[in-house]
Amino acid sequence: MSTRPARSKRATVHDVALEAGVSRGTVSRYVNGERYVSAAARDAIEAAIAKVGYVPNTAARNLVMQRTQAVGFIVHEPHSLFVDDPNIGSILLGANTELSQADHQMVVLIVDSDRDTDRVARYLTGGLVDGVIIVSARADDPITRVVERLQLPAAYVGHPPGAASSAAFVVIDNLGAARSITERLAATGRRRIGMIAAALDRDSGADRLAGFTAALGDSFDEALVEPVPFYSYSAGRDGMRRLLERAPDLDGVFAASDAVAAGAIEALRASGRRVPQDVGVVGFDDSAWARRTTPQLSTVRQPAAGLGAEAARLVLAQLREQEMITERRLDTEIVWRESA
Amino acid sequence: MSTRPARSKRATVHDVALEAGVSRGTVSRYVNGERYVSAAARDAIEAAIAKVGYVPNTAARNLVMQRTQAVGFIVHEPHSLFVDDPNIGSILLGANTELSQADHQMVVLIVDSDRDTDRVARYLTGGLVDGVIIVSARADDPITRVVERLQLPAAYVGHPPGAASSAAFVVIDNLGAARSITERLAATGRRRIGMIAAALDRDSGADRLAGFTAALGDSFDEALVEPVPFYSYSAGRDGMRRLLERAPDLDGVFAASDAVAAGAIEALRASGRRVPQDVGVVGFDDSAWARRTTPQLSTVRQPAAGLGAEAARLVLAQLREQEMITERRLDTEIVWRESA
DNA sequence: TTGTAGGCGTTATCAA
DNA sequence: TTGATAACGCCTACAA
């Protein structure tokens, strides 16, 4: 233990000006790289800055400039996202790369409690960011409302059910992709195909179920659909267990995400079934999970980093007051491995 | 596509004061919940706020208050952390919970390029946060230097090699834990134990190797140590392949992390070896990886959320100008499953 | 090319 | 209990 030294007061433009024997305006001009500053002034200012240890105060600059060059990135449901869904990391990195190139700072804000909700809402209204990217928003979320009310430039990753149409969204075709992979699974000769359907209160979850239903057509059997609350490993494992009790003759499963599929495989193995010999399993996301299961998953590749990057582009466009794109749909792709 | 409406200018305290027929000072007092504001004034202000749609500007407040109630959380090496190490999510959530309770906003900043380094450094110096938590810092990192120079209240998760001693750290006993689990592995009767040693340029990596070496004593064989750059699945898989070529008679492996262990198991399986019958494998972290491998990993449990929470406490303590704790060591625990 | 002065939206001090 | 007024640190006309 030791006592921390009192933090010395920070030098300001004023101090630099005094030290250099010029005016604050000139210092400001130098700092911002404008022309019209003489060599003599420049030298004096540089020396002064070094001497007094000046660093610009961004907060003050933001206040007068009325912009922050910062974009918020809001993460809801952090537990399921961070712990079970490696996609969130890729989305973050994709968005960060894009914002970084535009010289904007990405600040990610986590919403993990009611306290967080209020505080983050205040943060957004407080003029600390110019815009915001939101993943896994819910319809009547306070954050969403605040964004709406302030008309804060925003882009959603995924389409929150019932969201106002004035916002920008970047999505994938969940329905079409779910339909395609279900058809592909059926094409392997499976007769009794079930689905572990997650997060039906979100568009992504509902659409994946709709795609599954559409693919099966007449052979669709409602009893083979097991709804689970989250896109998580444990939800998949538990859901698979219940489904097997109801339908022990199952020979194929579409899991709503790779994490769910991994849990399902675990439950299948525990029940003595072999994958893919006895039961074929397909997932969704092509997240890091897909290559970690044994056998590796056949799944739908979702361009996670691309989703983040595109969302970033959508808010940057709004900041530039360009035409607003309201929806951007990214392509998916089926990757066929060994689990079916 | 549609053109976005011009954002209307935001109402200020000034506008509210005008509308309510009181002074700015009174409005400010009301907004901050101070006493000494009459019922009449209160009603008028409430009505005015609703009418003009006033929301406080946090940036301006921060400027005059000289504090932000925000703490930065810096993530280096985001690829390996986000994609391969689920621990980062738990650390984030642990820190966020603790900061949230103290009514502080956690803002996560990602450093993924040189541009990011500079921008984040400016962000930290700019008066936008009161303190900072740093994970996986490197010794001569510009961020670290900035934090040092500004004497910004900080706490590091993990001990960057060569870091200045004036900072606060929260660590685990990597050496002791590595030693313990290696001894445990040896106790199962393994004779030829190797290690896939990751990130030797970081304290955690170097210490885990040191623990491994210490545990084996005379039977330590340098040829059985395979260094890999990162704590990642792919590094583990590739490292295991190379190690097997050198030492096909191997019967035990200590992998520097669970992700590395998962990769190693994959390589072992590909080589036709069974785990744990032919080769016993142990990992480190008890991250989500540990339960996803088949068989599940025997490993060292690291209190990830606790690390984040403790780091948060360390910076909060500094913000309160309390005695500074320079190092806090959290306990680990061996969890023995089926992989050895 | 440089200095002056006003303002960004708040809070805080001090009379009234 | 309230209202002026001066900061906070910076940018930016405008004048010199």
Side-chain angles (χ1 to χ4, degrees), chain B residues 1 16 52 74 80-81 84 87 105 146 165 215 217 227 284 301 304:
Chain B
M1 297 226 199
V16 175
V52 303
I74 297 178
S80 74
L81 280 177
D84 283 307
N87 267 328
Q105 177 63 50
V146 161
S165 55
F284 203 110
R301 172 167 305 156

Side-chain angles (χ1 to χ4, degrees), chain B residues 23 26 29 36-38 41 64 66:
Chain B
S23 77
T26 306
R29 281 188 288 269
Y36 298 138
V37 37
S38 65
V64 56
Q66 296 292 75

Side-chain angles (χ1 to χ4, degrees), chain A residues 70-71 99 104 130-131 153 314-322, chain B residues 4 7:
Chain A
V71 170
L99 291 172
H104 280 240
D130 296 336
L314 290 185
V315 319
L316 288 171
Q318 291 176 56
L319 294 182
R320 295 190 198 101
E321 313 250 350
Q322 296 175 338
Chain B
R4 84 168 283 104
R7 195 135 50 104

Side-chain angles (χ1 to χ4, degrees), chain B residues 5 7 31 47 51 63 97 173 191 209-210 264 267 302 326-327 334:
Chain B
R7 195 135 50 104
V31 169
K51 177 163 180 202
L63 182 59
T97 300
D173 181 6
R191 306 256 134 242
L209 174 55
Q302 184 171 181
T326 49
E327 182 169 320
I334 288 182

Side-chain angles (χ1 to χ4, degrees), chain A residues 68-76 91-92 95-96 99 104-111 120 123-125 127-135 143 147 152-157 308 311-316 319, chain B residues 105-110 123:
Chain A
T68 63
Q69 299 270 91
V71 170
F73 188 117
I74 298 179
V75 181
H76 290 247
I91 297 176
L92 278 171
N96 186 61
L99 291 172
H104 280 240
Q105 177 63 50
M106 183 175 90
V107 309
V108 356
L109 309 172
I110 293 177
V111 177
V120 167
Y123 195 90
L124 294 182
T125 64
L128 270 19
V129 293
D130 296 336
V132 61
I133 297 170
I134 304 182
V135 300
I143 304 269
V147 169
L152 193 65
Y156 294 81
V157 176
R313 276 182 223 115
L314 290 185
V315 319
L316 288 171
L319 294 182
Chain B
Q105 177 63 50
M106 183 174 91
V107 309
V108 183
L109 309 172
I110 293 177
Y123 195 91

Side-chain angles (χ1 to χ4, degrees), chain A residues 182-257:
Chain A
T182 304
E183 286 169 350
R184 182 79 161 76
L185 176 60
T188 65
R190 313 288 174 175
R191 306 256 134 240
R192 293 277 287 165
I193 302 182
M195 172 170 184
I196 303 180
L200 292 175
D201 56 340
R202 301 235 296 266
D203 266 30
S204 62
D207 287 351
R208 289 175 199 184
L209 174 54
F212 173 78
T213 307
L216 260 31
D218 289 344
S219 62
F220 172 72
D221 178 354
E222 201 178 343
L224 297 187
V225 173
E226 177 70 28
V228 298
F230 305 114
Y231 289 114
S232 71
Y233 178 89
S234 54
R237 188 192 52 212
D238 300 346
M240 190 72 243
R241 256 184 225 142
R242 287 193 297 273
L243 189 52
L244 281 177
E245 279 174 25
R246 281 213 307 282
D249 59 333
L250 203 83
D251 64 359
V253 178
F254 170 36
S257 86

Side-chain angles (χ1 to χ4, degrees), chain A residues 1-137:
Chain A
M1 298 225 197
S2 70
T3 307
R4 81 170 284 107
R7 197 133 52 103
S8 49
K9 202 167 148 295
R10 227 109 111 183
T12 73
V13 166
H14 185 78
D15 302 322
V16 176
L18 239 50
E19 180 69 30
V22 299
S23 77
R24 304 189 316 223
T26 307
V27 173
S28 176
R29 281 187 286 268
Y30 167 80
V31 170
N32 294 312
E34 285 175 33
R35 50 178 195 247
Y36 299 138
V37 36
S38 65
R42 174 166 45 69
D43 294 345
I45 292 173
E46 279 171 357
I49 285 180
K51 177 161 181 205
V52 302
Y54 169 74
V55 295
N57 182 314
T58 316
R61 166 191 298 218
N62 291 347
L63 183 59
V64 54
M65 302 277 279
Q66 296 292 76
R67 67 194 161 93
T68 63
Q69 299 270 91
V71 170
F73 188 117
I74 298 179
V75 181
H76 290 247
E77 299 186 21
H79 284 94
S80 74
L81 280 178
F82 274 128
V83 177
D84 283 307
D85 183 0
N87 268 328
I88 185 66
S90 299
I91 297 176
L92 278 171
L93 293 177
N96 186 61
T97 301
E98 199 66 23
L99 291 172
S100 186
Q101 266 156 19
D103 206 33
H104 280 240
Q105 177 63 50
M106 183 175 90
V107 309
V108 356
L109 309 172
I110 293 177
V111 177
D112 188 28
S113 67
D114 289 345
R115 291 187 75 116
D116 287 355
T117 305
D118 295 344
R119 199 171 9 73
V120 167
R122 279 204 306 277
Y123 195 90
L124 294 182
T125 64
L128 270 19
V129 293
D130 296 336
V132 61
I133 297 170
I134 304 182
V135 300
S136 77

